[in-house]
């Protein structure tokens, strides 16, 4: 009885009948009846008891009941404080507790959240499940997933979880009320698939995908809710994995209904159920309705075959669905997980093929079908071909045409393949190169990337041993990755998607560039692909792995340059890999070594094959000089750093004036102006810093207004606002600083929803929060200052402990120890611990040669001096 899915029909019916009988009995009578069953059929009794136990436990935390439970927990009153939030009203309740609408007013804006509070009488393991949910949500930062906000315990000791409050309608209701047609519903569904695939990439299966867990906001964004019953695919030794199958019967998969293993295929099935309902308004199983009993629904899920969606839609008098959609949906609903789509991404890709009019994989293998799809996409051309064919037949006879038909089809197929190849290259290279520096083209670039990937997918299926084609595909995938998320150029903010395409390029480049017979171009291509993957690892905070990729690329580049000393391409490769190694070493806190690599990259561009070269090379040199100045500043050499920053700014300013249409140059110039202002601030020269940061902000806000979808520019604006706030503090104007920092934090909060895996963004955000704490402290709000310092600490604790982020962490702990002595609620033990953390950080930083920190302004408040003042032993609280 351990494999319910393998039961005979007779055994299954016996279990079902016995379970229904047991459920109808009162508790006392049920116990006696089960005792009799133990004696008459022990195996049947064990299975019935297992199902009864699962039924009892699952009922505690499935769908919220419609009415109040008279034995439930007393609701919390309005205006009750939970952490930093205040309750407005109750949203719902279930076996694990209650959900409230809460509000936090801070930083000059209002944040509304949904707060899940466990009741005092929750079932065993509920606290552990809430902790799991908090950990799961904290790692899922996606535009279509309700994100984690905060967590802790109430004043009464009840655990709570605060998440994004989504004001929306269930996806099915939203589509019906908006009157969306089939293509619009499919496009909305593709966003849901993207969110589910993102969760799967983070090793999380939702397990309860249904309309009520997907709300559509007023702007048409679907939000996936309730990861409270999600399962981690790689549970660690401390993970709390529920032993009961949690499910909603109407959307459960066959393996869930049979008590089997839950995998990503489970969510694929539930997505299929959701799409079926979105397009037909009904269940795929005839005879199943909302009023059907859970057992009858699960019985249908296990054993019944789904009705074709087109038949169900026709019966409901909906717009007809075609055989392609039937095939796609029914593939997602297959009983065996192995027969479904391998991932939510594959499911979505087939729908995208359908929307583009291309053959869908769910019907792969039919020559007639593929030909019909070709005709559908090229009606005019096919019609002309038919006319020409008729003329040819009349002139030469059917037999001659038949003898040459095979040759014509082959030539036509080769010509079409060449056309697709040319079109893909045109989209990926020519179009994006034309528009990428034009503000306001982000949406167009996204469309081009989506179309290009479709073409590349067709080409990749036929690449086989075609080496030139492999090279073209690798270059195209790498260019797409650049557009999606390269951190060093204008991008779409799609870092995870970019990493996927960079790795596709690397997989294609690896056998070409590693072969003993590899050409110089193949080795250079491999070095470029290694560097691209390294860039994305660097952007995500995995600096050690990035350095490994950069070092390997550097070895290839050095060998190429040695073999061809006059090659401009080889010389540029050496400069690029030296610069990238400097980037990784900077993040790892090895500033002196990093500075040497930046200098080496500048030397490589200074002479030889690249002497007096293009504006792009001069821009590269200026950026390398800026990075070298960053290291000088961290090593305490402030004036040399300022001089090098200003040299870099002069070069970039001249290049920007020579090419005013280039938004990339304007962005880089504004970025280095921010650095100049920050360094002048470190030197305590407010009068020199203020006009520079004003110029930087003006340029960045103009770029941001022209291209609001460019996440890089939005991050630049947030950082410059933070710098300006710090300079206002230096000038003794905390109120002005607080106003500017409020704008910076609003910008960071908006970016955090889609860019949380970018470690620099977290660090920069933390600097702005810490500066707001400094502003509150300057205005006399000591307790508010401590709250902001603690908020910054939480953000910084999520960054790598060693390296570039350590100085700011040391400063935050120092601020907490100094401020905590003046806050009654902070214990002396906390103050001592914070001071010890600060001193521990600073001891390691001093050993690494760090002398100053560009995030802090003013000679008197420079970190080194502040830490020297903190090295005393006094940790008591002053007399009040």
């Amino acid at each position: 009885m351990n494999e319910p899915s393998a039961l005979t029909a007779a055994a299954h019916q016996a279990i079902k009948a016995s379970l229904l009988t047991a459920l109808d009995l009162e508790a006392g009578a049920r116990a006696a009846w089960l005792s009799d069953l133990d004696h008459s059929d022990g195996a049947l009794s064990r299975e019935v008891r297992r199902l009864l136990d699962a039924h009892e436990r699952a009922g505690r935390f499935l769908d919220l009941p419609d009415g109040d439970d008279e034995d439930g927990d007393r609701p919390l009153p309005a205006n009750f404080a939970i952490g930093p939030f205040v309750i407005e009203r109750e949203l719902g309740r279930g076996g694990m507790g209650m959900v409230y609408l809460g509000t936090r007013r801070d930083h000059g804006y209002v944040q509304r959240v949904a707060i899940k509070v466990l009741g005092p009488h929750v079932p065993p393991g509920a606290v552990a499940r809430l902790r799991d949910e908090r950990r799961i949500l904290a790692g899922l930062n996606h535009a279509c997933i309700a994100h984690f906000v905060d967590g802790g315990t109430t004043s009464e000791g009840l655990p709570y979880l605060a998440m994004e409050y989504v004001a929306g309608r269930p996806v099915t209701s939203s589509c019906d009320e908006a009157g969306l047609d089939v293509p619009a519903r499919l496009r909305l569904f593709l966003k849901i698939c993207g969110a589910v695939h993102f969760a799967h990439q983070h090793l999380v299966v939702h397990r309860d995908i249904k309309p009520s867990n997907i709300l559509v906001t007023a702007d048409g964004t679907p939000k996936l809710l309730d990861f409270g019953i999600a399962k981690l695919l790689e549970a660690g030794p401390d993970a709390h994995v529920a032993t009961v199958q949690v499910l909603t019967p109407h959307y459960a998969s066959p393996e869930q209904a049979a008590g089997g293993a839950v995998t990503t295929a489970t969510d694929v099935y539930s997505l299929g159920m959701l799409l079926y309902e979105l397009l037909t308004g009904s269940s795929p199983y005839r005879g199943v309705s909302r009023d059907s009993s859970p057992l009858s629904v699960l019985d249908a899920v296990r054993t019944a075959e789904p009705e074709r969606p087109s038949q169900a839609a026709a019966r409901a008098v909906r717009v007809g669905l075609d055989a392609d959609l039937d095939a796609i949906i029914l593939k997602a609903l297959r009983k065996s997980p192995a027969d479904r789509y391998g991932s939510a991404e594959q499911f979505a890709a087939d729908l995208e093929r359908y929307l583009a009019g291309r053959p869908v994989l769910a019907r792969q293998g039919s020559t007639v079908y593929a030909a019909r799809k070709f005709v559908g996409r090229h009606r005019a051309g096919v019609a002309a071909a038919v006319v020409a064919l008729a003329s040819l037949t009349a002139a030469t006879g059917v037999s001659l045409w038949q003898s040459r038909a095979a040759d014509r089809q082959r030539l036509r197929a080769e010509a079409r393949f060449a056309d697709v190849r040319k079109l893909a290259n045109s989209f990926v290279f020519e179009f994006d190169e034309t528009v990428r520096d034009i503000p306001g083209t982000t949406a167009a670039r996204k469309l081009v990337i989506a179309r290009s990937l479709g073409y590349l997918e067709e080409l990749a299926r036929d690449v086989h041993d075609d080496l030139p084609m492999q090279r073209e595909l690798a270059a195209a995938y790498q260019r797409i990755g650049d557009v999606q998320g390269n951190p060093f150029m204008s991008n779409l903010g799609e870092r995870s998607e970019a990493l996927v395409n960079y790795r596709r390029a690397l997989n294609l480049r690896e056998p070409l560039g590693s072969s003993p017979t590899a050409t110089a171009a193949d080795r250079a291509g491999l070095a470029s692909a290694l560097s691209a993957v390294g860039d994305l690892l660097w952007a995500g905070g995995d600096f050690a792995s990035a350095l490994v990729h950069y070092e390997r690329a550097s070895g290839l580049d050095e060998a190429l340059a040695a073999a061809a000393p006059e090659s401009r391409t080889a010389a540029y490769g050496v400069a690029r890999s030296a610069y990238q190694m400097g980037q990784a070493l900077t993040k790892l806190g090895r500033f002196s070594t990093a500075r040497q690599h930046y200098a080496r990259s500048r030397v490589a561009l200074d002479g030889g094959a690249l002497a007096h070269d293009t504006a792009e090379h001069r821009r590269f040199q200026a950026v390398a000089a800026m990075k070298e100045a960053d290291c000088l500043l961290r090593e305490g050499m402030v004036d040399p750093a300022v001089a090098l920053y200003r040299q870099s700014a002069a070069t970039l300013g001249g290049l920007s004036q020579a090419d005013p249409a280039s938004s990339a140059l304007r962005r880089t110039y504004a970025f280095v102006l921010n650095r100049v202002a920050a360094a002048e601030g470190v030197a305590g020269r407010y009068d020199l810093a203020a006009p520079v940061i004003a110029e930087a902000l003006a340029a960045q806000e103009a770029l941001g207004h022209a291209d609001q979808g460019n996440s890089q520019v939005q991050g630049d604006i947030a950082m410059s606002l933070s710098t300006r706030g710090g300079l206002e503090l230096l000038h003794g104007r905390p109120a002005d600083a607080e106003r500017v920092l409020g704008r910076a934090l609003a910008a960071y909060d908006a970016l955090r929803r889609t860019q949380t895996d970018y470690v620099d963004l977290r660090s920069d955000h933390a600097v702005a929060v810490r500066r707001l704490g400094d502003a509150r402290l300057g205005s006399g709000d000591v307790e508010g200052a401590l709250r902001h310092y603690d908020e910054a600490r939480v953000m910084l604790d999520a960054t790598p402990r060693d390296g570039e982020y350590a100085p700011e962490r040391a400063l935050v702990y120092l601020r907490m120890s100094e401020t905590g002595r003046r806050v009654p609620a902070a214990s002396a033990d906390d103050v001592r611990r914070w001071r010890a953390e600060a001193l521990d950080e600073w001891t390691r930083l001093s050993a690494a040669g760090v002398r100053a920190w560009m995030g802090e302004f003013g000679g008197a408040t420079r970190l080194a001096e502040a830490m020297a003042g903190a090295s005393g032993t006094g940790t008591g609280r002053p007399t009040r």
Side-chain angles (χ1 to χ4, degrees), residues 25-79:
L25 295 173
E26 297 293 335
R30 183 188 297 172
W33 183 85
L34 287 171
S35 179
D36 291 339
L37 188 61
D38 288 339
H39 296 292
S40 60
D41 190 338
L44 177 60
S45 177
R46 285 192 296 274
E47 184 63 15
V48 171
R49 287 180 182 276
R50 184 186 72 81
L51 292 173
L52 283 170
D53 181 54
H55 174 78
E56 291 295 330
R57 287 181 288 167
R60 293 289 289 166
F61 54 97
L62 291 177
D63 295 334
L64 292 175
D66 294 330
D68 292 343
D69 182 352
E70 62 183 7
D71 295 325
D73 301 317
R74 176 175 56 84
L76 298 172
N79 296 320

Side-chain angles (χ1 to χ4, degrees), residues 197 201 345 495-505:
H197 180 61
Q201 287 180 308
E345 183 182 39
R495 202 185 68 81
S496 58
E497 292 87 344
L499 185 57
V500 168
N501 286 310
Y502 278 159
R503 283 183 165 143
R504 285 173 174 167

Side-chain angles (χ1 to χ4, degrees), residues 587 626-627 630 634 667 670-675 677-678 693 696-697 700 711-727 740-741 743-745 747-748 751 758 760-761 763-765 767-768 771 854-855 857:
K587 295 300 182 185
M626 178 183 71
K627 294 293 184 177
D630 286 349
R634 286 159 173 80
R667 178 194 171 240
F671 193 89
V672 76
L673 288 178
N674 181 303
R675 289 285 208 267
I693 196 61
L697 259 173
Q700 289 163 343
S711 59
Q712 272 193 323
V713 174
Q714 301 304 321
D716 292 349
I717 292 170
M719 184 170 63
S720 288
L721 286 168
S722 175
T723 301
R724 182 176 169 186
L727 291 168
V740 174
L741 290 167
R743 290 174 57 202
L745 290 170
Y748 279 125
L751 285 166
Y758 190 13
D760 268 5
L761 183 68
S763 174
D764 292 342
H765 191 171
V767 170
R771 284 175 175 155
M854 66 182 302
F857 299 130

Side-chain angles (χ1 to χ4, degrees), residues 545-832:
S545 296
L547 184 59
V548 170
H549 283 74
Y550 292 152
E551 286 175 333
R552 190 173 169 214
S554 180
L556 288 164
D557 288 327
E558 294 281 2
L560 288 167
E566 298 305 314
S567 168
R568 298 154 64 92
T569 302
Y572 188 79
V574 171
R576 179 201 61 207
S577 55
Y579 174 89
Q580 289 168 325
M581 289 179 68
Q583 288 278 82
L585 290 163
T586 297
K587 295 300 182 185
L588 292 168
R590 295 158 61 182
F591 301 124
S592 177
T593 308
R595 181 159 50 86
Q596 294 169 18
H597 280 85
Y598 290 133
R600 189 162 65 92
S601 73
R602 295 172 64 202
V603 169
L605 292 174
D606 253 340
L610 292 181
H612 310 295
D613 211 339
T614 64
E616 175 59 22
H617 292 153
R618 290 197 296 277
R619 187 200 69 84
F620 190 114
Q621 271 193 314
V623 173
M626 178 183 71
K627 294 293 184 177
E628 190 176 343
D630 286 349
C631 295
L632 286 169
L633 193 62
R634 286 159 173 80
E635 294 175 276
M637 292 178 272
V638 180
D639 288 336
V642 170
L644 201 51
Y645 280 138
R646 288 194 175 274
Q647 177 185 325
S648 174
T651 300
L652 290 166
L655 291 171
S656 183
Q657 286 182 352
D659 187 6
S662 172
S663 60
L665 277 173
R666 287 159 60 199
R667 178 194 171 240
T668 309
Y669 176 52
F671 193 89
V672 76
L673 288 178
N674 181 303
R675 289 285 208 267
V676 172
E680 294 286 16
V682 170
R685 297 188 284 257
Y686 172 84
D687 291 342
L688 294 177
V692 177
I693 196 61
E695 182 182 354
L697 259 173
Q700 289 163 343
E701 288 174 339
L703 288 169
H705 180 74
D707 193 1
Q708 296 181 16
N710 190 325
S711 59
Q712 272 193 323
V713 174
Q714 301 304 321
D716 292 349
I717 292 170
M719 184 170 63
S720 288
L721 286 168
S722 175
T723 301
R724 182 176 169 186
L727 291 168
E728 295 293 352
L729 285 170
L730 172 65
H731 202 51
R733 295 198 291 245
D736 290 339
E738 187 169 340
R739 176 179 51 79
V740 174
L741 290 167
R743 290 174 57 202
L745 290 170
Y748 279 125
D749 286 339
L751 285 166
R752 188 172 59 177
R753 299 188 186 101
T754 57
Q755 300 288 308
T756 48
D757 55 352
Y758 190 13
V759 68
D760 268 5
L761 183 68
R762 287 200 299 272
S763 174
D764 292 342
H765 191 171
V767 170
V769 173
R770 189 265 302 159
R771 284 175 175 155
L772 182 59
D774 291 345
R776 291 282 169 88
L777 189 63
S779 299
D781 181 6
V782 181
E783 293 185 354
L786 184 58
R787 283 198 304 272
H788 291 305
Y789 294 149
D790 192 48
E791 186 181 349
R793 175 196 61 79
V794 171
M795 293 179 183
L796 290 166
D797 282 348
T799 63
R801 182 165 180 80
D802 295 318
E804 188 182 40
Y805 309 103
E808 180 66 25
R809 187 183 297 108
L811 182 59
V812 166
Y813 274 114
L814 175 66
R815 290 283 200 270
M816 292 180 72
S817 68
E818 292 172 340
T819 309
R821 298 174 63 195
R822 300 165 57 188
V823 176
S827 69
D829 287 342
D830 284 338
V831 172
R832 279 191 288 269

Side-chain angles (χ1 to χ4, degrees), residues 467 471 509 511-526 556 560:
L467 298 185
R471 294 183 182 102
R509 296 282 195 192
L512 295 170
S514 301
S515 168
T517 60
T519 65
D522 285 334
R523 291 194 173 94
L526 176 57
L556 288 164
L560 288 167

